[in-house]
Amino acid sequence: MEEKSIAESKELTISELSQEDIKILTEVGVIPKDCSAELVKLYSRICAETQLNPFRKQIHFIRRGNSYTIQVGIDGYRSIADRTGLYAGSDDYVFDDEKNPNKAIVTVYKLVNGVICPFTASARMSEYRPKDINMQFMWNKMPNLMLGKCAEALALRKAFPNELSGTYTDEEMQQADIIDIAKKVEPSPKETNGEQSSPTSNDERRFCQREGCGRIVSSPR
């Protein structure tokens, strides 16, 4: 009986989030306060189906601009890999330059047909460091750790594609966390060579791309 309870505790079986859980997670910012009840229910269901614990920061509910996405933390990745019983650990992160890393390399190991096999992946700073200055705090403070996590996530997906394909970690997606600009700047009459801009949006019009021109070349009107 005791052995069974230990096994069950290792599985970290999680049911859908209770209302009290949702309240706490919303108060601490894990669940965005302005999202709909349907989205919260979806997040709750995914937590249950993936058996990832939001209180342990294994899975996150992220607002990106005007949309929402669910991302898995690196600890969640490790948990999913470990749950297969085939995960055999990983090497420490390796960098091309310890002080100013441009590339990180990680190797994870998986038991394949009784043989421990390596799966190596690399991540480059130019591809993952956010362009938005407001998103760079952790990347400036701990660049090795942030880049290393990206490389580890890539290696884990290579080793465990059935379990991890189609999911991405927080560090990998931070380069996409750019605030959406809902309203685009309309060209002034001067920029359109004296033509008055129509009330249609920029998405509905095409402008001449020659430098210094900006003339409307097509419009629904």
Side-chain angles (χ1 to χ4, degrees):
M1 183 65 71
E2 184 179 353
E3 291 181 356
K4 182 178 179 181
S5 63
I6 293 175
E8 288 177 347
S9 65
K10 287 183 178 181
E11 291 178 2
L12 294 176
T13 302
I14 303 171
S15 59
E16 290 196 22
L17 300 172
S18 67
Q19 289 301 314
E20 182 63 23
D21 292 334
I22 293 171
K23 180 181 178 181
I24 294 171
L25 291 171
T26 302
E27 288 177 351
V28 299
V30 175
I31 295 177
K33 293 182 179 180
D34 58 349
C35 64
S36 66
E38 290 77 12
L39 287 173
V40 174
K41 185 173 180 60
L42 174 64
Y43 177 62
S44 174
R45 180 171 178 177
I46 291 176
C47 288
E49 290 181 353
T50 59
Q51 295 296 286
L52 295 177
N53 194 325
F55 290 95
R56 297 189 178 187
K57 299 183 179 181
Q58 294 178 340
I59 185 168
H60 306 282
F61 197 179
I62 306 295
R63 176 173 180 171
R64 181 172 291 112
N66 295 321
S67 61
Y68 299 86
T69 184
I70 296 173
Q71 293 172 191
V72 180
I74 192 65
D75 289 333
Y77 256 45
R78 294 165 182 161
S79 176
I80 291 174
D82 185 61
R83 201 183 301 157
T84 66
L86 302 175
Y87 180 49
S90 65
D91 289 337
D92 198 5
Y93 304 151
V94 177
F95 303 97
D96 60 338
D97 186 332
E98 286 288 340
K99 292 185 177 180
N100 298 292
N102 292 305
K103 183 173 74 172
I105 301 174
V106 177
T107 299
V108 303
Y109 298 91
K110 178 183 179 182
L111 194 64
V112 180
N113 296 325
V115 178
I116 296 178
C117 299
F119 293 80
T120 302
S122 61
R124 289 167 174 77
M125 184 68 75
S126 59
E127 296 175 350
Y128 289 100
R129 188 172 185 265
K131 302 296 187 294
D132 187 346
I133 296 177
N134 295 323
M135 298 296 300
Q136 293 177 1
F137 175 74
M138 291 300 295
W139 289 83
N140 294 333
K141 183 179 180 181
M142 295 185 291
N144 297 58
L145 178 62
M146 300 297 283
L147 191 61
K149 286 182 179 181
C150 292
E152 183 180 358
L154 289 168
L156 284 168
R157 269 200 306 277
K158 288 176 69 175
F160 300 93
N162 291 334
E163 293 79 11
L164 297 174
S165 61
T167 64
Y168 299 92
T169 62
D170 306 323
E171 291 76 19
E172 291 178 284
M173 293 303 296
Q174 283 185 7
Q175 48 79 29
D177 284 337
I178 301 176
I179 298 174
D180 294 333
I181 304 297
K183 295 183 179 180
K184 298 182 179 179
V185 177
E186 297 288 341
S188 65
K190 182 179 180 180
E191 292 172 335
T192 57
N193 288 346
E195 295 187 17
Q196 294 296 324
S197 59
S198 68
T200 56
S201 69
N202 285 352
D203 292 334
E204 297 172 319
R205 295 175 309 195
R206 287 168 40 193
F207 299 91
C208 177
Q209 299 299 311
R210 288 190 304 172
E211 184 176 358
C213 181
R215 180 186 296 273
I216 299 174
V217 294
S218 68
S219 169
R221 299 194 177 192

